[in-house]
């Protein structure tokens, strides 16, 4: 019974979070930036994000909509914590099981349905939360003359959030696919989406993938 009530509450919460005005047309210079949909967030990993399997079908639909527009990011832990400095060393001292020296090699790979699509897009490896830190992602999007970025992936309140604000800083039209992002914590996921709408409505749009498809043909 508790499971049923949780499912119902989650559905109602998701519907509420995706209520929004219709999107203006999404133009041809658009990138789908899919954040860290990797095996390291699947069941069995210390970083398991419980909702990742639930949003995967929506992320996959979004990635299949215009495959040439996809850019996938992967979070790459260091080989050992000693390769990082400052608070990142402390972070990986705690999460040493996710370093490359200890974690199964397949953890860093994209989840299989998305991995198959990556050959038609691009994969950007990043050492930190933000996909633009220490990578060539900004140059890649500029070379493609991108003016709009649609974001999906994990986690809503960590790496996706970091990507959102970086896209805003670059001046791109930024759209978060509300039913194609997930977190380890429902509460902060919900609050993050509410924050986007309440504080960043002039620079950021939040929409479900069906509404995105209507605007992006």
């Amino acid at each position: 019974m508790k499971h049923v009530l949780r499912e119902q509450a989650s559905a109602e919460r998701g519907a509420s979070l995706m209520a929004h005005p219709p999107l203006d047309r999404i133009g041809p210079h658009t990138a789908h930036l899919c954040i860290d949909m990797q095996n390291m967030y699947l069941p069995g990993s210390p970083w398991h994000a419980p909702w990742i399997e639930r949003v995967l079908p929506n992320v996959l639909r979004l990635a299949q909509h215009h495959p040439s527009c996809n850019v996938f990011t992967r979070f790459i832990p260091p080989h050992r914590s000693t390769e990082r400095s400052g608070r990142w060393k402390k972070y990986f001292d705690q999460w040493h099981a996710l370093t490359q020296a200890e974690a199964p090699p397949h953890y860093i790979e994209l989840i299989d349905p998305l991995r198959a699509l990556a050959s038609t897009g691009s994969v950007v490896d990043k050492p930190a939360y933000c996909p633009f830190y220490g990578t060539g992602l900004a140059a890649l999007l500029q070379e493609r003359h991108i003016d709009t970025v649609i974001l999906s992936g994990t986690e809503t309140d960590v790496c996706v959030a970091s990507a959102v604000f970086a896209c805003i800083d670059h001046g791109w039209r930024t759209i978060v696919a509300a039913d194609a992002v997930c977190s380890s914590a429902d509460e902060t996921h919900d609050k993050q989406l509410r924050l986007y709408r309440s504080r960043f409505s002039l620079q950021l749009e939040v929409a479900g993938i069906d509404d995105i498809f209507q605007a992006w043909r």
Side-chain angles (χ1 to χ4, degrees):
M1 182 63 177
K2 289 182 179 179
H3 177 73
V4 172
L5 291 175
R6 176 181 171 82
E7 294 285 343
Q8 180 179 351
S10 298
E12 291 172 352
R13 181 172 61 245
S16 172
L17 289 170
M18 286 189 290
H20 59 82
L23 291 174
D24 291 336
R25 179 179 176 273
I26 298 173
H29 300 292
T30 296
H32 166 224
L33 183 56
C34 182
I35 304 294
D36 301 356
M37 290 292 289
Q38 295 165 262
N39 293 322
M40 67 174 64
Y41 299 107
L42 291 177
S45 167
W47 283 353
H48 175 215
W51 285 84
I52 193 168
E53 293 167 292
R54 185 162 300 178
V55 302
L56 178 58
N58 284 346
V59 175
L60 183 59
R61 286 181 60 200
L62 195 54
Q64 290 171 331
H65 189 61
H66 286 296
S68 64
C69 297
N70 292 325
V71 179
F72 299 93
T73 71
R74 302 189 308 176
F75 180 71
I76 308 296
H79 192 70
R80 292 183 175 84
S81 65
T82 52
E83 295 177 357
R84 304 298 296 273
S85 60
R87 290 297 175 126
W88 276 114
K89 180 184 181 302
K90 183 176 182 179
Y91 181 84
F92 283 111
D93 281 341
Q94 176 173 331
W95 294 108
H96 59 87
L98 274 300
T99 60
Q100 293 184 54
E102 297 187 32
H106 75 278
Y107 268 22
I108 66 171
E109 299 296 341
L110 297 173
I111 297 173
D112 279 339
L114 298 174
R115 188 179 181 185
L117 287 172
S119 59
T120 59
S122 300
V123 177
V124 174
D125 290 342
K126 61 191 183 74
Y129 297 145
C130 180
F132 297 93
Y133 177 79
T135 73
L137 178 57
L140 174 66
L141 298 184
Q142 289 163 357
E143 288 171 6
R144 297 185 181 184
H145 305 290
I146 294 300
D147 58 25
T148 300
V149 179
I150 300 169
L151 288 124
S152 68
T154 189
E155 295 188 62
T156 313
D157 44 349
V158 187
C159 292
V160 173
S162 184
V164 165
F165 293 120
C167 288
I168 290 174
D169 285 345
H170 278 88
W172 296 314
R173 181 185 180 188
T174 305
I175 303 169
V176 174
D179 50 355
V181 293
C182 69
S183 175
S184 300
D186 290 353
E187 181 181 5
T188 49
H189 166 89
D190 294 349
K191 286 182 176 179
Q192 193 72 35
L193 293 180
R194 291 191 182 99
L195 174 68
Y196 291 155
R197 289 197 174 95
S198 63
R199 295 295 303 275
F200 301 96
S201 59
L202 293 178
Q203 296 172 300
L204 177 63
E205 297 160 271
V206 181
I209 62 168
D210 288 337
D211 292 316
I212 290 172
F213 293 156
Q214 286 295 319
W216 190 25
R217 297 183 179 277

